Structure formats: structure tokens, C-alpha cells
Amino acid sequence: MNRLKAILTALGHGITERLWRLGFAARFFFLLLVHSGQTFSRPRLLLREIWFSGVLSLVIILVSGLFVGLVLGLQGYETLQRYGSSEALGILVALSLVRELGPVVAALLFASRAGSAVTAEIGLMKATEQLKAMDMMAVNPIARVVAPRFWGGVISMPLLAALFSAVGVFGGYLIGVVFIGVDEGSFWSQMQASVDFRTDIMNGIIKSFVFGIAVALIAVFEGYDSIPTAEGVSRAITRTVVTSALAILALDFVLTSFMFRGL
Amino acid sequence: MNRTVLDFWVGLFVAIGIASLLFLALKVGNLGSFSPSQTYVLKAAFDNIGGLKVRGAVKSAGVVVGRVSSIEFDPKTYEAVVSMEIDTHYRFPRDSSLSILTSGLLGEQYIGVDAGIDDQQNLDGSQLVTRTNSAVVLEKLISQFLFDKAAEPPAPKP
């Protein structure tokens, strides 16, 4: 009987702990939005964060986008040419990049490149008591440290996803048209005929925007909430990458089922 | 990090990000190809629309002149009523006929407009266009072919 009671207590403790953390994250998000005004009235803070999370992620985004496009071109051609419709390669590459791979893979790379860096930075600031020192100087650490990092990530993410898709389409073009020799005119014209601006490209942008909010929020929250020790910060970084990846994939499914139903 | 260098790189990043968005919209997507400023609505009744979809093209002589805006089923006449938005620059005679065609063997379906000869009156949205040809359904075509084949007298054996 006592054993059962202990098991139930442990279960309940685990659930309330997680719910409490979720509620804390929600309150943190609200506080972050309230204190966001300073971010936009001091654009220099924001510019620095766009530099850190956007510009420094450019290399990994561009190179991976190119390789994803190249692979899509090769694999797509292999399958399509069996049915004698290798001209449809442009549609395949563009639709898979713009709708899914662009936002999702760019967000996964962004979480591991920029999200982890943001968590590490804020976590170390907490561990070395810089956040407390700011509070002592009447500088709100959420307005000064957290909000610019959050908005920097939110602004960078859609741009990075668009770059990923564009470079990927170029990679598909390189393999399909330049190396294999698919007809260039039908590659582009079939692509333009079936990729719709509103249903495909806009939905991709909305997806990448939502992923940007999710990844940036998880990154700043894990950093702010980390245990201020070396081990605590390293665990917070791991949690950022894992939680972001799960959140991106789950959100992707939810968004896709809303956006592309009946197509 | 020097301030101007940082500004330069952030500016470059945002610029190429927006440039790639434009590339996606204009070169990959269909935003640049056909976006009429002013349109008028035509409605046509078809026996069978096959695989026609909303946002499908309306072409005349191979040129895109409009897009399909909605497809409905009329429960009284058991026909499909297709509404299309046509660019106001293009007017078609009253006796024009609409047919559902396929681009290529397995391509997407679109509405083709064959202009008529009546130069007094043009088509407008006031009445349903009934001079239409339905989509070709492959199964019907095959069964027609088999039926004709069976009706033929058997070929004399050599």
C-alpha cells in the first residue's frame, strides 16, 4: 500500500513539476513581450543579436541548403525518369523545399547553431551572476538580455528559411539542368505553374516564422531557467536542442494539417 | 566588433534574405506570371470537370487569360458550375465555347476558350455559359473503344 502511494506521489510530482514549468514558461513569454519595447527603441541591441543568430548561421544554412537541393535533384530524377516525367523535377524540388524541407531543416539547424549559443550565453550570464548584477543596477535583465535575443531569432529565422529554400532550388537546378540535362525551360515553367504564391510560399514563410518563435523562446527560456552551475548550463543547452527539435517537428505536423488539407 | 562592420553584415544578411524571398515569389512561384489587376467573373456549366482545380488556368490560344475561382455542384441540373476570373482586357464573343483540356498527357487540367464569331455581343457574368465541352475521362474513352471493337465484325483469319 505504501509502495503504491509512493509511486503515485512520484507520478504526481513529475506531472505537477512539468506543468509548473510550462506555466512558468508562459509567464516568462508574457513578461518578455511586455518588456520588448526597449528592444525596438534601441535597435543596436537587436542588430547585434541578428548578427549572432542570423549572419553567423549563414554558412551552415547556405551549405546545407545547397546539399539538400543537390540530393533532392538526384533522388527526384531517379524516381521521375522511371515514369518518363523528368521535366517535373522542378516541381518536386521546389514544392518539397518551399513547403517542408526549407522551414523544417533550416529551423533544426538554427536551433542547434543559434539556439544553443543563446542558451549557453544566458546560462553563463546567470551562472556568473551577471543577470543579478544587472538587476542590482536597476537594469531589467529580461528587457536588456532576453528580449533582444528572442527578437533577433524571430527575425532571422524566416530569412534563413527563405535562403535555404532558394539555395536548395538552385542546387536542384544545378543537378537537374546543368549535370543531368533536364530541359531548362520546362524545369522552370512547370515549377512556376504549380508553385502557388499564397498556398505554398506564404505558408512556408508562416511556418518558418512560427518555428522561429518556438526555437527562440525555448532557447532564451532554457538559458534563463538553467541551474547556475557548469553542469546545469550544459544540461540546459542539451534541453534546448532536444526540445526545439521536438517542438519543430510537432508544430510542423499541426501547421501542415491546417494549411494543406484538401490539396 | 566594429559598429560599421556589424551594420554592414546585418544589412547584407537582411538584403539577401529578402532577395531570396523575392526569388521564391517571382521565379519559383507564380506571382509574377499572372496577377490581373481587374477581372470580371464568368460562370460556365460543365457535365464533367475531370480533375480541374480552383486556381487552375483559363487559357485562350495557349495564353493565360484568367484563373478558376470556384467550382460548385448544381443539384438541380446535376452539372458542375465553374466560376472564373478573367482579365478585363480580354473579352470573348457571346458564342465562344469553353472546354476542359489537359496540358500534356498527364499534366494539370485547364479551361480552354475558343473564341466565337459573334462580334456584336461579348460574354459577361450575367448568364451561364452552356457552350462547353467536358473533360475527357480516360475510363469512358477506353470502354467506348472496347465497345466499338466488340461491335466490329471479327477480322478474317488468314
Side-chain angles (χ1 to χ4, degrees), chain A residues 75-106:
Chain A
Q75 294 280 19
Y77 181 78
E78 282 298 313
T79 311
L80 286 175
Q81 58 120 17
R82 280 188 215 171
Y83 304 100
S85 52
S86 54
E87 280 77 22
L89 186 65
I91 305 177
L92 180 112
V93 170
L95 277 188
S96 28
L97 275 167
V98 167
R99 280 187 179 181
E100 289 296 331
L101 288 175
V104 171
V105 180

Side-chain angles (χ1 to χ4, degrees), chain A residues 40-215:
Chain A
F40 295 100
S41 59
R42 289 178 66 186
R44 189 134 308 275
L45 289 177
L46 188 62
L47 274 186
R48 191 177 157 279
E49 298 314 323
I50 295 178
W51 154 267
F52 263 111
S53 50
V55 179
L56 294 183
S57 309
L58 267 182
V59 174
I60 187 172
I61 290 285
L62 293 182
V63 173
S64 344
L66 186 68
F67 278 107
V68 167
L70 293 174
V71 169
L72 271 179
L74 273 180
Q75 294 280 19
Y77 181 78
E78 282 298 313
T79 311
L80 286 175
Q81 58 120 17
R82 280 188 215 171
Y83 304 100
S85 52
S86 54
E87 280 77 22
L89 186 65
I91 305 177
L92 180 112
V93 170
L95 277 188
S96 28
L97 275 167
V98 167
R99 280 187 179 181
E100 289 296 331
L101 288 175
V104 171
V105 180
L108 290 174
L109 292 172
F110 182 75
S112 35
R113 166 65 188 75
S116 58
V118 164
T119 307
E121 209 182 354
I122 298 179
L124 275 177
M125 278 182 163
K126 190 179 180 189
T128 52
E129 303 197 323
Q130 291 181 47
L131 297 183
K132 267 184 193 154
M134 272 183 194
D135 234 352
M136 296 288 284
M137 293 188 288
V139 174
N140 188 336
I142 290 188
R144 176 65 180 76
V145 173
V146 173
R149 282 166 178 72
F150 173 75
W151 286 110
V154 172
I155 292 171
S156 304
M157 186 55 229
L159 295 173
L160 289 173
L163 271 168
F164 188 95
S165 299
V167 174
V169 169
F170 177 70
Y173 166 80
L174 268 188
I175 280 290
V177 176
V178 179
F179 288 115
I180 297 177
V182 174
D183 181 53
E184 178 166 4
S186 55
F187 182 87
W188 289 113
S189 66
Q190 292 218 18
M191 188 193 291
Q192 286 171 4
S194 27
V195 179
D196 188 60
F197 181 72
R198 266 181 297 173
T199 55
D200 298 322
I201 297 176
M202 273 319 281
N203 282 350
I205 294 172
I206 293 170
K207 267 187 184 177
S208 59
F209 191 68
V210 173
F211 295 162
I213 293 176
V215 171

Side-chain angles (χ1 to χ4, degrees), chain B residues 30-151:
Chain B
N30 57 2
L31 192 65
S33 57
F34 184 75
S35 48
S37 47
Q38 287 185 317
T39 55
Y40 64 99
V41 177
L42 273 189
K43 285 192 173 195
F46 289 93
D47 289 332
N48 190 331
I49 58 160
L52 189 72
K53 290 200 174 67
V54 174
R55 302 270 313 150
V58 180
K59 296 183 184 179
S60 184
V63 180
V64 179
V65 295
R67 296 240 172 241
V68 174
S69 57
S70 77
I71 299 172
E72 282 151 16
F73 180 69
D74 185 348
K76 291 207 181 73
T77 59
Y78 304 109
E79 282 179 324
V81 177
V82 178
S83 311
M84 344 159 218
E85 292 172 341
I86 313 281
D87 195 319
T88 37
H89 293 114
Y90 306 114
R91 294 281 176 185
F92 294 99
R94 171 130 286 182
D95 57 346
S96 302
S97 69
L98 303 181
S99 26
I100 294 181
L101 305 169
T102 311
S103 54
L105 195 57
L106 296 166
E108 61 175 15
Q109 292 192 303
Y110 64 94
I111 294 183
V113 185
D114 292 314
I117 49 167
D118 183 356
D119 49 7
Q120 304 297 317
Q121 279 183 305
N122 284 333
L123 281 179
D124 51 32
S126 59
Q127 66 189 88
L128 208 61
V129 182
T130 47
R131 219 181 269 265
T132 56
N133 294 317
S134 289
V136 174
V137 178
L138 209 57
E139 287 87 341
K140 282 188 182 166
L141 209 66
I142 292 171
S143 67
Q144 181 82 40
F145 173 74
L146 291 176
F147 188 74
D148 288 355
K149 204 73 178 162

